[in-house]
Each structure stands twice: as structure tokens, then as C-alpha cells.
């Protein structure tokens, strides 16, 4: 599967952006989909994920500001980011996981989000 992320860009602190990830095939078979990010000089970290059943998990730093959603019919997973902070600046990667028989990760190419003061 190919994952194509879009929606990144430059935004002022306090602003909003919406990232979208389009899959090249149906996402119904992916147990978990979501977003990770990597800031300069830091390790890649989980931002928000959503299961096939609709359960979500967020990094503490983005709770109440970001919302992850998936549309199986459109094969997309989105990340609505509100009240953006300088520390949200990073390359954001779309991720899809299958868990059986063992975990396998698929990654998109990344989209840059830059938050300015």
C-alpha cells in the first residue's frame, strides 16, 4: 500500500491545519492508522492513532487540540490540528499497521508542519 500525506505548511501559533492521508487501497484491513511526527534532532513519536473500531490514542502533548479520524469508504485518515504551538513543528508521517500475524508498519512520505511565532 502507498500512503500519500498532504496538508502540511506554515501556520502561526494558535492557528489550525488539517492533514490528510490517502491510501492506495482500502484501509479496512489496517488495525490501526494514524500519525507520527519527528522534530529536528528528535526521535519519531506517536501523535494520534485510531483503530479499526474507532478507538483513539493521543500523545499527552496534543490531547484536546488534535483530532484523528478515518474514513474507510474514502481510504483516508485525517488529523485536525488546532491551537498549534511552536513545539508542534515537525515532519508528520502517516502510518498504517496490521497486527496479525505480527505487527507490520506502512509509512507515508511525510509532510512538514512549521508553526511560527
Amino acid at each position: 500500500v502507498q500512503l500519500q500525506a498532504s496538508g502540511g505548511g506554515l501556520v502561526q501559533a494558535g492557528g489550525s491545519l488539517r492533514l490528510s492521508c490517502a491510501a492506495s487501497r482500502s484501509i479496512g484491513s489496517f488495525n490501526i492508522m494514524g500519525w507520527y511526527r519527528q522534530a529536528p534532532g528528535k526521535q519519531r513519536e506517536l501523535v494520534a492513532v485510531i483503530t479499526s473500531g474507532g478507538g483513539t490514542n493521543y500523545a499527552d502533548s496534543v490531547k484536546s487540540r488534535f483530532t484523528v479520524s478515518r474514513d474507510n469508504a474514502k481510504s483516508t485518515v485525517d488529523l485536525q490540528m488546532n491551537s498549534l504551538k511552536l513545539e508542534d513543528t515537525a515532519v508528520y508521517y502517516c502510518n498504517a499497521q496490521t497486527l496479525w500475524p505480527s505487527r507490520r508498519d506502512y509509512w507515508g512520505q511525510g509532510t512538514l508542519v512549521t508553526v511560527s511565532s
Side-chain angles (χ1 to χ4, degrees), residues 12-92:
Q12 285 192 324
S16 298
L17 277 177
R18 187 176 183 88
L19 305 183
S20 185
C21 175
S24 59
R25 64 168 176 84
S26 172
I27 63 173
S29 62
F30 293 111
N31 303 102
I32 299 172
M33 295 196 71
W35 295 87
Y36 289 68
R37 67 186 180 189
Q38 187 166 18
K42 295 187 176 181
Q43 289 188 332
R44 190 173 297 188
E45 63 176 1
L46 181 148
V47 177
V49 294
I50 183 167
T51 70
S52 55
T56 57
N57 186 36
Y58 294 90
D60 288 343
S61 60
V62 308
K63 282 181 181 177
S64 78
R65 299 189 298 122
F66 290 10
T67 302
V68 63
S69 60
R70 67 190 280 174
D71 187 330
N72 287 348
K74 296 181 179 179
S75 296
T76 58
V77 58
D78 292 350
L79 183 68
Q80 177 65 42
M81 305 185 294
N82 299 326
S83 302
L84 283 160
K85 303 177 180 180
L86 297 178
E87 52 265 40
D88 293 319
T89 294
V91 176
Y92 285 70

Side-chain angles (χ1 to χ4, degrees), residues 10-16 84 114-117:
L10 176 64
V11 63
Q12 285 192 324
S16 298
L84 283 160
T114 303
V115 183
S116 64
S117 59

Side-chain angles (χ1 to χ4, degrees), residues 92-116:
Y92 285 70
Y93 296 91
C94 179
N95 170 267
Q97 298 176 28
T98 55
L99 301 178
W100 181 262
S102 61
R103 175 172 170 171
R104 180 172 179 179
D105 286 80
Y106 302 83
W107 295 96
Q109 85 286 5
T111 185
L112 177 62
V113 172
T114 303
V115 183
S116 64

